[in-house]
Amino acid sequence: MDLSLSPIAHVDVPPDTRTKIRASGVNVFYGDKHALKDVSIAIPEKAVMAFIGPSGCGKSTFLRCINRMNDTIDIARITGNIDIDGQDIYTPSLDVVQLRARVGMVFQKPNPFPKSIFENIAYGPRIHGIAKDKTELEEIVVGSLKRAGLFEEVKDRLDDSGTSLSGGQQQRLCIARAIAVSPEIILMDEPCSALDPIASAKIEELITELRQNFTIVIVTHSMQQAARVSQRTAFFHLGILVEEGATDDIFTNPREPRTQDYITGRFG
Amino acid sequence: MAWIYFLVVAVFAVLGFYAGRSRAHAFRENGHNLHSLPGYHGYFVILAIIVPMLVLFAIWSTAETRLLETQALHSLPAAFQPTDDLSRATRLREIHNVASGQTFGEVPPEVRSVGEAFAHNLTLSHWAKLVLGMAFGAFGYLWATRRLSPHFRARNTVERAVKLILLACSIVAVLTTVGIVFSVLFETFRFFARVPWWEFLFGFQWSPQTAIRADQVGSSGAFGAVPLFVGTTLIMVIAMCVAGPIGLFSAIYMAEYASPRVRSIAKPVLEVLAGVPTVVFGFFAALTVAPLIRSAGEALGLDVASESALAAGLVMGVMIIPFVSSLSDDVINAVPQSLRDGSYGMGATKSETIKKVVLPAALPGIVSAFMLAISRAVGETMIVVMAAGLSANLTFNPLEAVTTVTVQIKTLLTGDQEFDSAKTLSAFALGFVLFFFTLAMNFVALQVVRRYREQYD
């Protein structure tokens, strides 16, 4: 990677945390639309980074760059660099399958596969050949369900369809599914937007727990949620990363007037 | 004659509509608030006019011919009175021929005069029907316009009438189905009165030629349908071996891999295949594919009949590819993108995603696409007639000539036939078996779908 071409001027990372993901000069085009403009950011390890901003501001687009989900969209074109642990994820030699095993994703609408709860979790370990035998696979499934705080609720019905669960349970199932392949990073694209407040609170609790072991990047529309779960926050507007910093600073003492306007509810 | 009646109905309806609507407009101009839009008042008047007119037409038309025929037969002199059903039918035909002015050979003058009287009465009856129909229409118009008022709920009445018309149409469809089933069932029982059902279902010999006269020899008739069932199954299996994989895989390609440009060209082309008449496929099979298979077989030293199950099955397979591919394509496209995203997000490749997520989710639809294709294959006649032959060989060898249930039905019922011999009645038994098979298959498919359904919403 050539950092000298795209200096990251306004990124300030606290010196005590290691940077997990570093993006510099990322641009995304959907056909003629310039969806993301020259975004540079450093995301620290084992912490929660929240992306906030009004609809269509590019925060989900940027999130989908981190595990190359934009590859599945034919008209999407990406320039710039994204490194994970210093390794460029857009080099041609990189295997997307392995990247996505390291970078899990949870989507806006819970999307369990139309299979049993067990098979939903076992899906990832199976395609990556993680478990050596059936016992190990069962251990992974149970362990993932426990870490996602879902095991007690479903332990008697692992053979039921994943779609028979409630919305909040489905979303925790999707989180368990992502954890099952032991990723280093979990991307969450508005994981609570389809859930009621109680289910959302459980997910937030879960995120706080998962922070011990995973680097988490969460896109959210709820500024309260960002304030509750994240340590650092980035504010996007019209495809531009306006401001990034410690969550407390962003919400109490924003540098940019646009950030101030957004968090005080003047637009968005 | 009937067209004049319907012309009158149409004219009355149009006039009634405008009359009803302008009445409603007049209410509005007089400062009233209408409950329903003026158009509904017009439709209400139309209904009040055409319903009685059409009911009268239907009843009168069914009754008039029968009544006038009975009356004509009664007025025949005693010497010409029919004695049994056959002579009654002959007399009636003569009377109708005289009435329509087409007489062949000598018609006795007594019959001729009755025929002319019949024609005269029929014309009278037509005119009476027309006049009475117009009276009904006028009465309906008067009744309807008297009911029109600003508060009249024309919209609700018209909506109710629309519902009744739709209901009547569905009843017609259901009753027709029930009627067909019962008539086939009835004839099947008549057949089983002559040939025991176990002989039909389990007999290995099919040669439906029965003696027309008692002194004929060599045509005793054998009604063992097993060779037909085997032939049908053989051709169906060959056809599905072609259409199943090709149809499903092309559907997967269309839905998951093809660029929009390729898709926009290839899909319509595939659907054109479904529009080719089966007769065309038939001569393609008989004139191109069958000789090709025979010469290929000869080159390999195999003994191939010039009409073979393989030729018919291959071409039929090509014919039903679009049924499999088009329906499968639709159900694969209906699988939500979020499921694919979930799978890609786990690091699954495209083919893993298709195999483990998309296809299981689309399975019920794919199964029903296959079932539809099988029903088409089993019910197809033309290709088999032309390419597979007529000889009822009991064989599983695809290189021999076989025959199918549908082909035999067609053979039994074409040409001049007497309708109460075991030979013709056996066609109904075959038809019933075919019907029962399709029904059973739909039932099984439904169970399969219910059992393996993976609900994604």
Side-chain angles (χ1 to χ4, degrees):
Chain A
M1 191 191 82
D2 192 356
L3 273 176
S4 64
L5 278 176
S6 43
I8 21 181
H10 58 281
V11 176
D12 57 329
V13 183
D16 54 320
T17 51
R18 206 174 79 82
T19 296
K20 183 76 182 171
I21 307 163
R22 183 184 298 275
S24 47
V26 174
N27 286 280
V28 177
F29 303 86
Y30 291 127
D32 294 334
K33 193 174 166 257
H34 197 170
L36 205 60
K37 293 166 188 163
D38 199 29
V39 170
S40 299
I41 191 171
I43 297 172
E45 187 176 40
K46 292 192 180 158
V48 179
M49 164 69 95
F51 291 170
I52 60 171
S55 296
C57 67
K59 55 194 192 304
S60 287
T61 299
F62 183 59
L63 191 77
R64 290 167 66 93
C65 288
I66 301 174
N67 68 345
R68 291 183 55 177
M69 277 300 277
N70 283 327
D71 289 13
T72 61
I73 301 168
D74 291 333
I75 55 167
R77 197 160 55 79
I78 298 137
T79 63
N81 282 98
I82 299 177
D83 290 6
I84 295 177
D85 291 337
Q87 183 196 7
D88 183 2
I89 63 168
Y90 278 91
T91 70
S93 61
L94 181 121
D95 185 1
V96 177
V97 168
Q98 272 159 15
L99 171 71
R100 291 190 189 143
R102 290 172 67 198
V103 186
M105 187 157 193
V106 176
F107 295 83
Q108 185 168 359
K109 195 171 154 256
N111 58 349
F113 300 131
K115 301 170 180 295
S116 72
I117 293 170
F118 185 93
E119 286 300 321
N120 260 284
I121 314 280
Y123 185 80
R126 280 219 175 100
I127 57 176
H128 294 296
I130 290 173
K132 280 196 299 288
D133 50 30
K134 211 167 176 308
T135 355
E136 201 179 330
L137 187 66
E138 275 165 18
E139 275 168 21
I140 291 175
V141 169
V142 171
S144 307
L145 282 171
K146 278 185 178 155
R147 289 169 84 182
L150 190 60
F151 185 67
E152 288 304 315
E153 293 161 55
V154 302
K155 60 182 174 188
D156 301 323
R157 47 184 181 127
L158 290 179
D159 290 330
D160 285 12
S161 172
T163 50
S164 66
L165 299 172
S166 73
Q169 287 173 326
Q170 286 188 13
Q171 195 60 297
R172 276 180 285 151
L173 180 68
C174 292
I175 294 175
R177 185 174 73 185
I179 300 173
V181 292
S182 326
E184 299 151 29
I185 301 164
I186 301 175
L187 309 176
M188 298 187 175
D189 191 356
E190 297 180 41
C192 299
S193 67
L195 305 181
D196 64 75
I198 292 171
S200 301
K202 278 192 178 160
I203 303 274
E204 286 179 18
E205 223 171 277
L206 179 59
I207 292 171
T208 306
E209 267 171 46
L210 293 174
R211 174 159 66 90
Q212 318 299 326
N213 299 301
F214 303 97
T215 303
I216 294 171
V217 185
I218 177 170
V219 166
T220 178
H221 262 127
S222 153
M223 278 171 286
Q224 291 90 335
Q225 186 173 63
R228 278 192 299 263
V229 302
S230 73
Q231 286 71 54
R232 294 188 73 79
T233 298
F235 170 62
F236 287 78
H237 184 47
L238 299 173
I240 295 165
L241 173 58
V242 176
E243 183 170 355
E244 191 271 343
T247 299
D248 292 343
D249 291 346
I250 292 273
F251 282 100
T252 54
N253 190 17
R255 282 172 310 210
E256 293 280 333
R258 273 177 293 173
T259 317
Q260 168 100 41
D261 287 350
Y262 181 69
I263 60 176
T264 52
R266 217 166 292 167
F267 75 94
Chain B
M1 202 50 219
W3 68 269
I4 297 180
Y5 193 92
F6 286 111
L7 191 69
V8 170
V9 171
V11 169
F12 272 41
V14 171
L15 293 179
F17 176 77
Y18 285 110
R21 204 176 58 168
S22 58
R23 274 291 284 272
H25 276 301
F27 291 139
R28 194 177 260 177
E29 271 155 30
N30 292 341
H32 292 289
N33 266 333
L34 289 183
H35 169 270
S36 308
L37 288 174
Y40 281 108
H41 290 80
Y43 289 126
F44 173 69
V45 176
I46 289 189
L47 284 170
I49 291 172
I50 65 172
V51 170
M53 287 181 89
L54 292 182
V55 169
L56 173 81
F57 184 83
I59 294 175
W60 192 295
S61 300
T62 29
E64 70 181 350
T65 327
R66 189 156 305 171
L67 286 175
L68 290 178
E69 278 175 353
T70 319
Q71 189 225 349
L73 286 176
H74 275 300
S75 59
L76 280 171
F80 292 95
Q81 280 297 334
T83 48
D84 54 15
D85 279 356
L86 194 64
S87 60
R88 187 174 188 273
T90 319
R91 281 281 169 272
L92 276 180
R93 199 168 325 121
E94 279 174 354
I95 291 170
H96 275 287
N97 284 346
V98 171
S100 61
Q102 302 167 309
T103 47
F104 307 101
E106 282 299 295
V107 178
E110 292 87 343
V111 177
R112 179 173 291 279
S113 70
V114 169
E116 276 155 8
F118 174 75
H120 177 71
N121 288 343
L122 202 60
T123 318
L124 260 182
S125 161
H126 284 325
W127 283 111
K129 181 166 64 182
L130 184 61
V131 170
L132 195 62
M134 289 166 80
F136 268 48
F139 177 78
Y141 171 76
L142 287 177
W143 176 78
T145 41
R146 280 188 51 173
R147 288 194 64 187
L148 294 187
S149 75
H151 303 295
F152 178 57
R153 299 177 170 236
R155 171 162 46 80
N156 307 35
T157 316
V158 170
E159 291 293 343
R160 213 173 305 131
V162 167
K163 195 179 98 183
L164 286 177
I165 291 167
L166 298 182
L167 179 72
C169 290
S170 2
I171 287 175
V172 168
V174 170
L175 285 186
T176 316
T177 315
V178 172
I180 291 172
V181 170
F182 273 94
S183 85
V184 171
L185 201 63
F186 182 68
E187 301 291 339
T188 305
F189 281 128
R190 277 178 67 192
F191 172 70
F192 286 147
R194 287 155 208 239
V195 177
W197 61 269
W198 58 87
E199 198 186 310
F200 174 74
L201 284 182
F202 303 114
F204 288 164
Q205 191 67 40
W206 178 264
S207 113
Q209 300 310 321
T210 45
I212 294 172
R213 296 193 314 276
D215 56 343
Q216 271 182 329
V217 285
S219 298
S220 55
F223 294 96
V226 171
L228 310 189
F229 299 151
V230 170
T232 307
T233 315
L234 182 63
I235 289 182
M236 185 261 281
V237 168
I238 296 172
M240 286 312 292
C241 285
V242 174
I246 295 182
L248 182 58
F249 293 159
S250 70
I252 292 173
Y253 177 75
M254 295 282 184
E256 298 286 332
Y257 290 96
S259 67
R261 232 173 68 86
V262 172
R263 193 181 146 82
S264 69
I265 297 167
K267 207 172 176 205
V269 169
L270 254 181
E271 269 152 22
V272 165
L273 202 58
V276 177
T278 58
V279 162
V280 175
F281 278 113
F283 65 69
F284 177 64
L287 301 181
T288 313
V289 178
L292 217 78
I293 289 173
R294 192 179 46 183
S295 52
E298 275 164 2
L300 293 169
L302 293 170
D303 187 21
V304 185
S306 54
E307 292 176 321
S308 64
L310 189 60
L314 289 179
V315 174
M316 194 188 285
V318 172
M319 183 191 82
I320 57 181
I321 286 173
F323 288 88
V324 178
S325 73
S326 191
L327 281 172
S328 304
D329 181 50
D330 290 346
V331 295
I332 290 172
N333 270 323
V335 174
Q337 183 62 31
S338 68
L339 287 185
R340 294 188 185 89
D341 283 348
S343 178
Y344 293 143
M346 300 295 302
T349 61
K350 196 152 197 168
S351 70
E352 282 168 341
T353 302
I354 292 167
K355 205 165 58 198
K356 293 183 175 163
V357 174
V358 177
L359 287 185
L363 186 73
I366 293 173
V367 169
S368 61
F370 272 64
M371 290 299 152
L372 184 74
I374 290 178
S375 315
R376 272 302 299 243
V378 169
E380 171 52 37
T381 318
M382 220 53 222
I383 293 174
V384 193
V385 173
M386 292 162 98
L390 291 173
S391 50
N393 293 328
L394 179 55
T395 176
F396 286 99
N397 180 358
L399 301 178
E400 277 182 52
V402 295
T403 191
T404 67
V405 174
T406 49
V407 168
Q408 285 306 315
I409 293 176
K410 168 246 150 210
T411 316
L412 292 167
L413 292 185
T414 41
D416 287 335
Q417 302 291 348
E418 39 173 347
F419 260 81
D420 52 353
S421 73
K423 184 183 163 191
T424 42
L425 287 177
S426 69
F428 289 98
L430 288 176
F432 182 71
V433 170
L434 209 58
F435 167 74
F436 187 78
F437 174 76
T438 321
L439 198 73
M441 212 167 50
N442 284 348
F443 181 75
V444 170
L446 221 71
Q447 295 302 314
V448 169
V449 167
R450 213 171 278 163
R451 170 79 181 72
Y452 294 102
R453 162 162 246 147
E454 296 195 335
Q455 198 94 38
Y456 45 73
D457 277 326

